[in-house]
């Protein structure tokens, strides 16, 4: 969906079969050619995938490991997953990144450099804040890191969509996942080995603040590479509308959010307590869990008030780029259904993985080194393999069949965690990993690797990698290039709803019903997306036939 907002704006949906336009295209339009410019583009999206994945783990699973080892309780860790909220609202400021170009570096690259430098500074600041002694300050700084990281993702997603031709998106999305997972191997896997107490001497034995400072330095290095090594993308469409109106619209939006926050803080908790009082009467829940459920409902009530207020403010102030991007997306047939599907597709996966690190470290009592090696190093390499395999299979399967097959595999992989929670450690034979020292990572003593853990993580990461590759290609196919940042931010914000919002629910639910039942619930949650995908099969197949390719300037 480029200038015409996707295949859905064409009346040809009712005039021809889904594959007719694709068969009518010259064969060269659908073949990927490995010339120097194409290889440059593929290297760029791989590098930017790495830059995107690095801070995500540092406000997600790596942060959960830090908090777990600091002794914070499971429900609190679940609520702290809300530091990822900026990922679900990034479409609100994405229009500014569509409208304005920073000087010297051209479209997209200036924003990349700015956000990456800001990430380096924010991570360094977070490293100097102890989470147990200053939990509120730590949470606010983590929100700041997530805000800047989400802003970087807005630019990366838009840049990748602008840069790649339609025929390159399957391979490009796989390579983006490759870079993303490599970063998570470093920030979520190698980091756990660095901080393991058994590595208390030598290159191992880092503290979490030292890990975060090192990641901050890496983000500064990424900013330098973005400035000097990335190919340029050309501006698209008419960008002559009044910038002042967009700034006023954004300020109106911020004001509405601030008003909503203040009102929610004052009225949300008492309303939540009143609504939950009949349910709490005679309930066996302890006071702590009752408080967590009250906080969760108060948060949802606040959002129910704040989001409509922000939407009204954007319309009243004529926030043109935001409204134009949203109108362009919603003008296509099936737009609302696609948004629902986007929320649902990775929901079961996100539900199972929302508290994976505390589950493995605290409930299953695996050591940090074992979790780092299996769940992060081996597991994430398997995710990379799954993403690359998914990209290759998409060439044969097409988008719709790939989404369906990979979605089924994702759903059944959740049952592996149910099996692990029921049978525990030692159910399958494992092996002993000998000590090693690779310079950048060191294992000081032999570590036992549980066979059941390895099997479950292998299944989850292979299926998750394949599903992510197909999902990223699907999101790119929905974007109009004139509003890439706004629209991709909207779509990926909906995609991150599960990852961010199920954390608080998962924390209180796992304590209330236990881990085995929790993982059964996570499997059932994946079913609606598969049913909806079947219903949308003709619409998704239309996206595969999109012949438009953005122009680039290397």
């Amino acid at each position: 969906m480029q200038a015409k907002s996707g295949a859905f704006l064409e009346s040809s949906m009712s005039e021809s079969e889904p594959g007719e336009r694709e068969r009518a295209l010259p064969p060269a339009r659908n073949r990927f050619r490995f010339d120097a410019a194409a290889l440059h583009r593929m290297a760029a999206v791989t590098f930017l995938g790495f830059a995107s994945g690095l801070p995500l783990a540092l406000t997600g699973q790596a942060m959960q490991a830090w908090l777990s080892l600091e002794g914070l309780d499971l429900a609190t860790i679940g609520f702290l997953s809300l530091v990822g909220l900026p990922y679900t609202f990034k479409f609100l400021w994405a229009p500014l990144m569509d409208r304005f170009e920073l000087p010297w570096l051209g479209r997209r690259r200036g924003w990349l450099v700015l956000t990456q430098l800001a990430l380096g500074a924010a991570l360094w600041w977070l490293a100097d804040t102890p989470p147990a002694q200053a939990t509120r300050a730590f949470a606010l700084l983590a929100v700041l890191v997530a805000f800047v990281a989400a802003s970087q993702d807005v630019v990366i997603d838009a840049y990748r969509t602008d840069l790649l031709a339609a025929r390159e998106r399957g391979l490009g999305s796989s390579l983006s996942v490759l870079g993303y997972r490599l970063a998570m191997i470093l920030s979520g896997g190698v980091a756990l080995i660095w901080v393991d107490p058994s590595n208390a001497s030598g290159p191992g034995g880092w503290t979490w603040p030292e890990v975060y400072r090192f990641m901050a330095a890496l983000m500064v290095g990424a900013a330098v590479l973005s400035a000097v090594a990335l190919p340029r993308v050309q501006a698209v469409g008419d960008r002559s509308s009044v910038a002042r109106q967009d700034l006023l619209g954004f300020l109106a939006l911020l004001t509405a959010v601030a008003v909503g926050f203040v009102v929610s803080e004052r009225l949300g908790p008492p309303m939540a307590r009143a609504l939950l009082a009949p349910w709490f009467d005679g309930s066996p829940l302890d006071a702590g869990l009752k408080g967590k459920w009250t906080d969760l409902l108060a948060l949802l009530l606040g959002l129910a008030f704040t989001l409509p207020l922000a939407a009204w403010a954007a319309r009243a102030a004529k926030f043109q780029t935001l409204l134009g991007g949203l109108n362009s997306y919603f003008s296509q047939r099936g737009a609302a259904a696609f948004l629902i599907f986007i929320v649902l597709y990775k929901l079961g996966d996100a539900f199972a993985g929302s508290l994976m690190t505390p589950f493995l470290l605290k409930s299953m009592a695996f050591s940090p080194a074992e979790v780092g090696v299996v769940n992060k190093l081996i597991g994430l390499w398997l995710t990379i393999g799954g993403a690359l395999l998914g990209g290759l299979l998409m060439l044969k399967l097409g988008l719709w069949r790939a989404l369906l097959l990979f979605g089924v595999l994702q759903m059944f992989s959740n049952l592996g965690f149910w099996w692990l929670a029921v049978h525990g450690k030692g159910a399958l034979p494992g092996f002993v990993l000998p000590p090693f020292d690779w310079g950048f990572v060191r294992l000081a003593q032999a570590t036992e690797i549980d066979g059941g853990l390895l099997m479950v993580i292998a299944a989850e990461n292979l299926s998750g990698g394949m599903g992510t590759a197909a999902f990223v290609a699907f999101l790119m196919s929905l974007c109009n290039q004139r509003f890439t940042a706004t629209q991709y931010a909207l779509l990926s914000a909906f995609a991150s709803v599960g990852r961010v919002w199920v954390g608080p629910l998962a924390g209180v639910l796992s304590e209330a019903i236990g881990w085995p039942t929790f993982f059964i619930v996570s499997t059932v949650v994946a079913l609606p997306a598969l049913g909806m995908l079947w219903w949308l099969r003709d619409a998704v197949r239309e996206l595969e036939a999109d012949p438009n390719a953005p122009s680039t300037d290397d």
Side-chain angles (χ1 to χ4, degrees):
M1 164 188 149
Q2 306 301 334
K4 62 184 185 340
S5 296
F8 301 101
L9 290 185
E10 295 188 356
S11 59
S12 59
M13 278 195 68
S14 58
E15 299 171 358
S16 62
E17 293 298 318
E20 275 189 29
R21 282 197 307 145
E22 190 170 28
R23 291 195 296 269
L25 296 173
R29 297 285 290 176
N30 291 314
R31 287 202 304 265
F32 175 71
R33 294 180 296 175
F34 284 97
D35 55 20
L39 291 175
H40 190 191
R41 291 193 291 273
M42 293 301 152
V45 298
T46 305
F47 158 69
L48 290 177
F50 183 91
S52 174
L54 198 72
L56 180 63
L58 298 175
T59 56
Q61 292 193 350
M63 190 183 75
Q64 288 181 358
W66 187 0
L67 298 174
S68 297
L69 296 175
E70 289 283 330
L72 275 74
D73 64 90
L74 190 61
T76 299
I77 294 173
F79 269 87
L80 283 174
S81 68
L82 290 175
V83 301
L85 276 176
Y87 284 98
T88 67
F89 295 112
K90 58 188 178 182
F91 65 92
L92 296 177
W93 63 88
L96 299 182
M97 295 174 165
D98 261 334
R99 171 63 59 207
F100 299 104
E101 297 177 11
L102 300 184
W104 303 305
L105 293 174
R107 182 166 168 81
R108 309 299 186 200
R109 293 196 306 170
W111 284 113
L112 277 173
V113 172
L114 179 62
T115 54
Q116 287 162 354
L117 290 175
L119 266 172
L123 286 170
W124 195 281
W125 194 1
L126 185 66
D128 290 334
T129 307
Q133 291 77 23
T135 304
R136 184 176 179 85
F138 183 89
L140 291 174
L141 285 172
V143 170
L144 175 63
V145 172
F147 170 78
V148 184
S151 301
Q152 180 197 219
D153 282 0
V154 167
V155 191
I156 288 175
D157 294 336
Y159 178 88
R160 182 179 61 239
T161 306
D162 290 349
L163 188 69
L164 298 179
R167 62 184 177 272
E168 298 173 339
R169 287 175 184 159
L171 180 59
S173 64
S174 294
L175 291 174
S176 179
V177 172
L178 167 64
Y180 173 88
R181 294 297 180 175
L182 283 173
M184 295 190 72
I185 286 175
L186 180 62
S187 62
V190 173
L192 278 170
I193 298 174
W194 282 342
V195 301
D196 191 280
S198 65
N199 288 323
S201 61
W206 288 27
T207 65
W208 277 112
E210 289 171 336
V211 168
Y212 274 66
R213 291 187 194 102
F214 176 73
M215 302 303 170
L218 286 183
M219 290 310 307
V220 174
V224 174
L225 279 177
S226 294
V228 302
L230 294 183
R232 289 178 176 267
V233 292
Q234 294 178 350
V236 177
D238 179 15
R239 307 180 62 82
S240 60
S241 64
V242 180
R244 179 175 174 273
Q245 192 65 49
D246 274 340
L247 287 174
L248 291 175
F250 183 65
L251 290 175
L253 193 76
L254 285 181
T255 302
V257 170
V259 170
F261 176 79
V262 172
V263 172
S264 301
E265 280 279 291
R266 294 186 177 182
L267 300 182
M271 289 181 63
R273 284 191 290 271
L275 291 171
L276 290 174
W279 181 57
F280 283 160
D281 289 341
S283 171
L285 291 177
D286 60 38
L289 275 178
K290 288 180 181 179
K292 298 300 182 184
W293 280 111
T294 301
D295 291 343
L296 179 59
L297 181 57
L299 177 66
L300 295 176
L301 290 173
L303 287 171
F305 172 75
T306 303
L307 290 180
L309 181 64
W312 173 83
R315 287 194 299 269
K318 299 180 180 178
F319 193 173
Q320 293 178 4
T321 304
L322 175 62
L323 298 175
L326 296 181
N327 288 338
S328 173
Y329 173 76
F330 282 104
S331 67
Q332 62 179 309
R333 187 163 66 87
F338 275 138
L339 287 182
I340 297 172
F341 170 72
I342 287 168
V343 172
L344 294 177
Y345 187 70
K346 299 291 281 186
L347 188 60
D349 206 33
F351 209 94
S354 58
L355 293 173
M356 186 55 55
T357 301
F359 166 67
L360 296 176
L361 289 176
K362 299 183 74 172
S363 299
M364 300 302 299
F366 292 113
S367 70
E370 189 173 7
V371 172
V373 168
V374 177
N375 190 35
K376 303 301 183 180
L377 291 184
I378 297 175
L380 289 177
W381 274 113
L382 288 170
T383 305
I384 291 169
L388 295 176
L389 177 61
L392 293 174
L393 288 175
M394 284 178 65
L395 298 175
K396 296 291 186 182
L397 294 172
L399 183 59
W400 180 78
R401 288 192 295 173
L403 285 168
L404 181 63
L405 174 60
F406 303 160
V408 170
L409 294 176
Q410 284 179 163
M411 179 184 71
F412 282 111
S413 70
N414 287 353
L415 292 177
F417 293 107
W418 165 81
W419 178 89
L420 188 63
V422 169
H423 294 280
K425 297 174 65 173
L428 293 179
F431 64 94
V432 176
L433 184 69
F436 60 82
D437 188 349
W438 297 340
F440 69 96
V441 60
R442 171 179 177 268
L443 193 64
Q445 60 185 29
T447 299
E448 185 176 352
I449 302 298
D450 185 78
L453 174 65
L454 184 60
M455 178 193 71
V456 170
I457 293 299
E460 195 273 337
N461 282 272
L462 278 171
S463 62
M466 290 189 287
T468 299
F471 194 53
V472 170
F474 170 69
L475 296 184
M476 285 193 289
S477 71
L478 292 173
C479 291
N480 179 321
Q481 193 175 358
R482 185 183 175 198
F483 302 105
T484 314
T486 303
Q487 291 184 350
Y488 200 103
L490 172 70
L491 299 175
S492 59
F494 272 76
S496 68
V497 164
R499 176 174 58 81
V500 174
W501 286 101
V502 301
L505 178 59
V508 294
L509 195 61
S510 61
E511 288 190 352
I513 65 177
W515 286 111
T517 307
F518 172 80
F519 287 120
I520 292 292
V521 170
S522 75
T523 304
V524 173
V525 164
L527 284 171
L530 299 178
M532 194 164 190
L533 181 60
W534 185 266
W535 178 57
L536 291 169
R537 60 189 181 277
D538 291 336
V540 176
R541 283 170 174 159
E542 282 286 322
L543 297 176
E544 300 176 42
D546 183 5
N548 290 304
S551 58
T552 63
D553 177 13
D554 292 288

